[in-house]
Amino acid sequence: MLVEPKSMDECVYFTNRSLNEKGKIKCWVFKEKCVKCGKELMGKPRDPKTGKPRIRAKEYECPGCKYNVSEEEYENTLTASIQYTCQYCGNIGELQVPFKRKKVKIFNEDEMKGKTIESLRFQCGKCSKNLDVTRKMK
Ligand SMILES: [Zn+2]
Ligand SMILES: [Zn+2]
């Protein structure tokens, strides 16, 4: 069984969404400890004046030793936990995959055309079709 987060503060990423009438995906990624000192959870760097995390910063920082890595480098070392109901076969499953987004082609039904977007892709444990946790469009 996967461990579910108790609060958003524990996660670098959390989403709970529907894929279509029957499919849905819940996906979360826990923050992990600093690889340098191993004591503190990495987080977005804090503003020295307000003490609030700079959400939009493209980097993560250890609050203890100030070790700093780019967002991409840090996220690539993390593990995503996924609970899903397959949109094709209705299979309910859960799994863990490396939190590595890849560029994938997806057919957008609203716009009736193919699109390349970043996605965390995995396969249904039953029908083996691709399921995507796509990055939200801005
Ligand atoms: Zn550290
Ligand atoms: Zn399936």
Side-chain angles (χ1 to χ4, degrees):
M1 275 296 285
L2 297 174
V3 180
E4 294 198 44
K6 291 180 199 73
S7 97
M8 295 302 123
D9 290 345
E10 296 175 64
C11 303
V12 297
Y13 180 76
F14 181 91
T15 186
N16 194 359
R17 60 178 75 169
S18 301
L19 299 171
N20 60 5
E21 307 80 55
K22 62 176 176 177
K24 54 184 183 210
I25 289 182
K26 187 164 159 186
C27 172
W28 64 94
V29 179
F30 282 115
K31 287 178 184 169
E32 285 182 21
K33 283 186 177 155
C34 169
V35 292
K36 283 277 189 272
C37 70
K39 289 178 190 155
E40 308 264 1
L41 291 174
M42 299 288 280
K44 292 283 166 115
R46 283 172 190 274
D47 188 302
K49 284 186 192 141
T50 64
K52 292 205 175 104
R54 289 160 38 218
I55 307 290
R56 282 168 210 285
K58 290 278 177 230
E59 56 195 22
Y60 283 85
E61 192 176 84
C62 170
C65 70
K66 302 291 173 201
Y67 173 61
N68 189 294
V69 282
S70 74
E71 186 173 60
E72 196 182 357
E73 192 183 334
Y74 176 61
E75 292 188 347
N76 280 346
T77 65
L78 303 177
T79 302
S81 300
I82 299 169
Q83 287 177 337
Y84 68 93
T85 304
C86 177
Q87 69 195 92
Y88 304 105
C89 73
N91 177 48
I92 295 172
E94 57 179 37
L95 76 165
Q96 288 191 302
V97 295
F99 187 43
K100 285 185 183 164
R101 291 191 180 98
K102 295 192 183 102
K103 286 202 161 61
V104 296
K105 272 220 155 70
I106 284 181
F107 187 76
N108 184 313
E109 285 176 22
D110 296 332
E111 295 174 27
M112 296 298 284
K113 62 179 181 188
K115 253 188 171 175
T116 303
I117 55 178
E118 282 185 46
S119 165
L120 184 64
R121 175 165 275 188
F122 63 98
Q123 281 77 36
C124 170
K126 197 171 168 199
C127 72
S128 301
K129 285 199 172 129
N130 288 328
L131 296 169
D132 286 296
V133 188
T134 52
R135 193 189 269 269
K136 281 218 179 78
M137 293 289 119
K138 289 182 186 125

